[in-house]
Amino acid sequence: MPQGSSQSRPHRVAVIVDEGTNPFEVGVATELFGLPRPELGLDRPPYEVTLCAPTPGVRMNHGFFTLTGVPGLEAVDDADTLVVPGRPDNVVPRGAAVLDAIRRTHARGARILSFCTGSFALAEAGLLDGRRATTHWLWADTFRELHPKVLLEPDVLFVDEGDLLTAAGSAAALDLGLHLWRRDHGAEAANHVSRRLVFAAHRDGGQQQFVERPVPDVPDESLGPLLVWAQERLGEPLTVADLAARAALSPATLHRRFRAQLGTTPLAWLTGERVALACRLIERGEERLDVVAARSGLGTAANLRARVRRETGLSPSAYRRRFGPPAGEAVMA
């Protein structure tokens, strides 16, 4: 079971809804952090979401919705995490009240996320100078012009700077949210949430933003069946050549399809899936690193340590202490 059931209260998430905010990204935040999660077996929701706004009525993007009846921006003062969604008019300065709310949230040490062009607000508040960040690829040049001190990474899904996290686009907000679920509650919990979303459980932040999805003029070339086949055999010595042979493709063609459909390489995808499986095995109580390495396909305990640390920032033992079962609980088979 993921850690969190012993918390004295849920982790509080505030979402700023400003004039012109994209409603999809507000929906992403509430879907990720606002729903009860009975499938996790927790005795209380791990997150508690509050929407807040600078005015009593906020007209959202293109007037599709008007938000009323939510708290003012003072709600950010109780938040452990603040979410700043994007809006389309990024050259228009944010209101002083919104920028002040963002600054004081950061000043007291809370975590701040931006979705899509919400990174403009973080940069305008002065939080991203000298820091790594990303934004939607369509606005990358404008972002550089307005905020030249920010270390912009325009070709990734999201950037995690610890206290400041930025997602590249609306869909990448889902990737960043699941990344936070893994960071806060472990891979097993994130996997449950991703299944409920019917969304990829793990896409590394360094994957490309722009994924080509042309309308097919040939029979379905989806990688889905191949991915399921490989996920069922992660403990076997699978190689890219094995994947290509299974798909009846040349390695070069397989590589092109992975790039087009997933924005990553076959080897990077395979390694990411193996690390995710290793984390789940550790969470379930397996303490023998050589067993975890073998069952996940990572080979050796040394490779396991390196890969888990790179992905989670924790050693396997630290990961076990944070997300594993209580001491003395039986190891799962």
Side-chain angles (χ1 to χ4, degrees):
M1 180 183 297
Q3 298 293 317
S5 59
S6 62
Q7 293 177 343
S8 58
R9 62 170 177 79
H11 183 103
R12 294 170 180 161
V13 178
V15 183
I16 290 182
V17 185
D18 197 4
E19 191 74 18
T21 289
N22 290 323
F24 177 84
E25 290 154 28
V26 176
V28 168
T30 56
E31 176 76 22
L32 282 167
F33 305 119
L35 298 184
R37 302 287 175 183
E39 66 271 22
L40 298 183
L42 302 177
D43 56 13
R44 62 178 61 85
Y47 299 101
E48 179 182 271
V49 171
T50 300
L51 304 183
C52 59
T55 57
V58 176
R59 183 176 181 270
M60 300 178 75
N61 188 10
H62 288 89
F64 288 124
F65 304 97
T66 297
L67 183 69
T68 61
V70 299
L73 294 178
E74 66 277 2
V76 306
D77 296 327
D78 293 326
D80 304 300
T81 292
L82 175 63
V83 178
V84 183
R87 68 182 200 190
D89 50 348
N90 295 295
V91 296
V92 178
R94 269 67 178 171
V98 170
L99 296 178
D100 178 67
I102 293 171
R103 291 187 187 108
R104 69 175 186 265
T105 300
H106 183 254
R108 62 181 177 78
R111 182 169 61 186
I112 301 181
L113 283 64
S114 69
F115 289 168
C116 194
T117 56
S119 52
F120 279 79
L122 271 58
E124 194 174 344
L127 305 188
L128 296 180
D129 287 356
R131 306 284 295 271
R132 296 165 53 247
T134 192
T135 196
H136 194 288
W137 61 268
L138 190 63
W139 287 92
D141 290 341
T142 302
F143 189 97
R144 287 194 185 96
E145 292 173 7
L146 293 175
H147 307 292
K149 295 182 181 180
V150 180
L151 306 179
L152 185 67
E153 298 189 6
D155 297 322
V156 300
L157 293 177
F158 61 83
V159 171
D160 182 348
E161 283 278 278
D163 58 336
L164 297 170
L165 301 93
T166 51
S170 297
L174 286 165
D175 292 296
L176 178 56
L178 288 171
H179 170 73
L180 276 191
W181 266 95
R182 286 191 299 274
R183 206 172 96 171
D184 292 348
H185 300 286
E188 188 78 0
N191 201 44
H192 278 291
V193 175
S194 70
R195 285 202 299 269
R196 186 162 166 181
L197 288 167
V198 194
F199 190 76
H202 176 77
R203 292 200 297 169
D204 186 82
Q207 291 186 29
Q208 294 179 350
Q209 281 192 41
F210 184 68
V211 179
E212 298 178 14
R213 297 189 186 277
V215 176
D217 54 7
V218 294
D220 183 17
E221 296 181 345
S222 168
L223 291 170
L226 176 65
L227 302 185
V228 171
W229 177 85
Q231 286 169 330
E232 293 172 348
R233 295 164 175 80
L234 293 174
E236 300 176 13
L238 288 178
T239 65
V240 173
D242 294 326
L243 296 180
R246 174 69 183 182
L249 300 170
S250 70
T253 300
L254 182 71
H255 190 280
R256 286 194 296 271
R257 290 198 185 169
F258 263 79
R259 279 293 189 190
Q261 295 184 32
L262 300 180
T264 190
T265 66
L267 181 58
W269 177 84
L270 191 58
T271 301
E273 290 296 310
R274 283 171 164 159
V275 172
L277 175 57
C279 288
R280 293 197 297 272
L281 292 171
I282 293 171
E283 290 177 33
R284 294 170 185 173
E286 179 56 71
E287 298 184 356
R288 298 163 295 177
L289 294 189
D290 56 338
V291 173
V292 173
R295 290 179 61 184
S296 64
L298 291 174
T300 66
N303 189 42
L304 170 70
R305 291 188 185 94
R307 295 291 182 178
V308 170
R309 182 177 290 279
R310 178 184 180 277
E311 176 61 33
T312 69
L314 301 171
S315 67
S317 58
Y319 190 91
R320 182 186 304 111
R321 287 194 296 272
R322 182 170 180 183
F323 298 117
E329 185 171 306
V331 175
M332 294 181 63

